[in-house]
Amino acid sequence: MARLDVTEVFCGISFPGHLHTQESLQLALKFPFQDTDILIVSYPKSGTTWMQEIVTLIFNKGDPHLSQTVPNWARAPWLEQYYSAAVLEASSITPRVITTHLPHQLLGPALQGSKAKIIYVSRNPKDAMVSFYHFHKMANFLPDAGTFPEFLNRFLEGTLSFGSWFDHIKGWTSQTATMDNLLHITYEEMSLDLHGAIRRVSSFLQCPLVEDEVNACVPHCSFSSMKDNKMVNYTLVTEDIMDHNKGSFMRKGKTGDWKNMFTEEQDQYFESVFKSKMQDCTLEFVWEVQDQEEAHTKEEIPQEDTEK
Ligand code: PPS
């Protein structure tokens, strides 16, 4: 399966044809979820791989053996990618951990009535967009990134691969009020307090950890450790698919990197589009993370129970 130049348009959204087919996308929408499944959901570049690692470590009580011997796509396959059914069948890992970038508008019906636990990871869209832009340069299965201003426009229009960030976040987070099996956590929260984020996720997954086990998880899901872990840094992927001479998957791992790319004018434009597209969204975004060199972004850190 190479299809590096193929784009599949499915329900009006572009998907890279390298790993997605019309059939694999159709199958995802009809996926028979089990109540024991764990589904990691994100818009690309929002902390997906990080959450895959956190979940793996939680279920292994901080023991890194699995995360250092099995690639993330085999531990937590992407539902919509063509190989996922075979991987899930062959896997003996329980519970099943599944990943998806699909918007709620598409996957919602398959989850109706399911008790599968859903972890929605979001990130400051400016940082996700900058990360995606750099990723387009190394990932040969994605279309040409174009110039940064062109890419920014396509992000704001929602015409990049995987569709609109705005539709994605609104679609999934609007479910939090009615679905107690959905946890919304942010990249910024994980950056600010990784220990606390692990606790929150483990509690949601009903896989409580003692303090020593949380402490054991932390170093293995730090950026520096994951950057060197072949099972998550995508260096196992051949150069024709991801060209590591052109960049790293584990690029910077910071909040607020958008400030190195955006002009003031671009920021103002982004803010105006954000305001208009998010006017029907009641989420309080707190994206400034104080304890990093540059103040960044953080999102709603819920005050309420840590179970949800
Ligand atoms: S993908 O392609 O959608 O699966 O990408 P995704 O994993 O969602 O996002 C990749 C970005 O997440 C950063 N990352 C981390 N940051 C901090 N700490 C840890 N442990 C970590 N793991 C992954 C990764 O570096 C990408 O962000 P950028 O800004 O490009 O560095």
Side-chain angles (χ1 to χ4, degrees):
M1 178 100 173
R3 306 203 324 147
L4 296 176
D5 294 331
V6 178
T7 294
E8 291 290 355
V9 180
F10 181 77
C11 297
I13 299 176
S14 297
F15 294 89
H18 169 53
L19 293 171
H20 303 80
T21 61
Q22 292 290 325
E23 198 194 3
S24 72
L25 290 156
Q26 278 294 354
L27 282 174
L29 304 202
K30 293 187 209 126
F31 186 73
F33 284 99
Q34 296 171 5
D35 287 348
T36 48
D37 287 341
I38 290 156
L39 182 66
I40 298 171
V41 185
S42 63
Y43 186 82
K45 302 295 150 192
S46 301
T48 325
T49 319
W50 200 358
M51 186 52 70
Q52 290 171 327
E53 201 72 342
I54 289 173
V55 170
T56 303
L57 287 161
I58 286 174
F59 279 110
N60 288 278
K61 311 263 179 208
D63 178 347
H65 179 73
L66 193 62
S67 58
Q68 290 173 356
T69 50
V70 180
N72 61 323
W73 60 81
R75 279 185 259 140
W78 271 260
L79 181 65
E80 57 275 19
Q81 298 184 351
Y82 78 95
Y83 61 83
S84 68
V87 168
L88 287 170
E89 237 164 73
S91 171
S92 56
I93 300 171
T94 52
R96 300 196 300 187
V97 182
I98 303 165
T99 307
T100 186
H101 285 321
L102 291 177
H104 184 265
Q105 295 87 302
L106 294 188
L107 202 54
L111 286 162
Q112 195 99 45
S114 166
K115 293 194 177 77
K117 290 190 167 59
I118 304 166
I119 303 174
Y120 185 69
V121 190
S122 70
R123 185 182 191 184
N124 180 347
K126 293 177 194 169
D127 281 332
M129 196 267 281
V130 167
S131 175
F132 209 13
Y133 173 68
H134 289 290
F135 188 56
H136 271 65
K137 298 189 170 191
M138 69 173 298
N140 290 331
F141 55 85
L142 288 170
D144 183 36
T147 64
F148 183 70
E150 285 164 357
F151 194 84
L152 179 94
N153 276 331
R154 278 157 56 208
F155 180 87
L156 292 173
E157 284 165 359
T159 52
L160 292 175
S161 300
F162 302 99
S164 160
W165 180 89
F166 300 98
D167 291 346
H168 205 279
I169 191 152
K170 286 192 287 185
W172 282 104
T173 60
S174 64
Q175 304 304 310
T176 49
T178 52
M179 288 173 79
D180 59 5
N181 56 333
L182 194 155
L183 173 82
H184 180 194
I185 191 163
T186 68
Y187 182 100
E188 290 73 28
E189 182 180 342
M190 302 192 298
S191 298
L192 186 64
D193 178 10
L194 183 54
H195 185 284
I198 294 167
R199 274 212 166 286
R200 191 165 169 237
V201 173
S202 70
S203 165
F204 170 73
L205 295 177
Q206 291 168 324
C207 181
L209 301 180
V210 298
E211 191 63 8
D212 281 354
E213 292 166 341
V214 180
N215 290 337
C217 291
V218 172
H220 300 299
C221 49
S222 68
F223 180 74
S224 57
S225 165
M226 287 180 61
K227 194 173 172 60
D228 290 340
N229 181 356
K230 281 194 167 71
M231 299 298 142
V232 289
N233 66 14
Y234 286 90
T235 52
L236 294 178
V237 173
T238 53
E239 203 175 300
D240 55 323
I241 295 169
M242 264 191 220
D243 191 344
H244 288 268
N245 298 313
K246 294 190 182 153
S248 304
F249 181 90
M250 296 288 166
R251 192 182 58 92
K252 285 193 177 174
K254 293 197 165 214
T255 55
D257 187 43
W258 65 270
K259 291 175 187 171
N260 296 316
M261 292 295 286
F262 278 54
T263 62
E264 205 167 318
E265 206 181 14
Q266 285 166 342
D267 189 30
Q268 278 169 9
Y269 177 53
F270 194 106
E271 287 294 332
S272 69
V273 175
F274 183 93
K275 210 169 160 188
S276 124
K277 290 202 189 258
M278 298 297 280
Q279 60 183 335
D280 51 343
C281 177
T282 53
L283 283 179
E284 285 284 313
F285 291 101
V286 188
W287 279 325
E288 294 298 316
V289 174
Q290 261 77 32
D291 71 344
Q292 293 201 348
E293 308 142 38
E294 297 268 335
H296 315 298
T297 42
K298 163 176 124 186
E299 210 227 85
E300 46 153 20
I301 295 183
Q303 314 282 319
E304 85 278 27
D305 63 306
T306 52
E307 294 295 311
K308 192 176 163 211

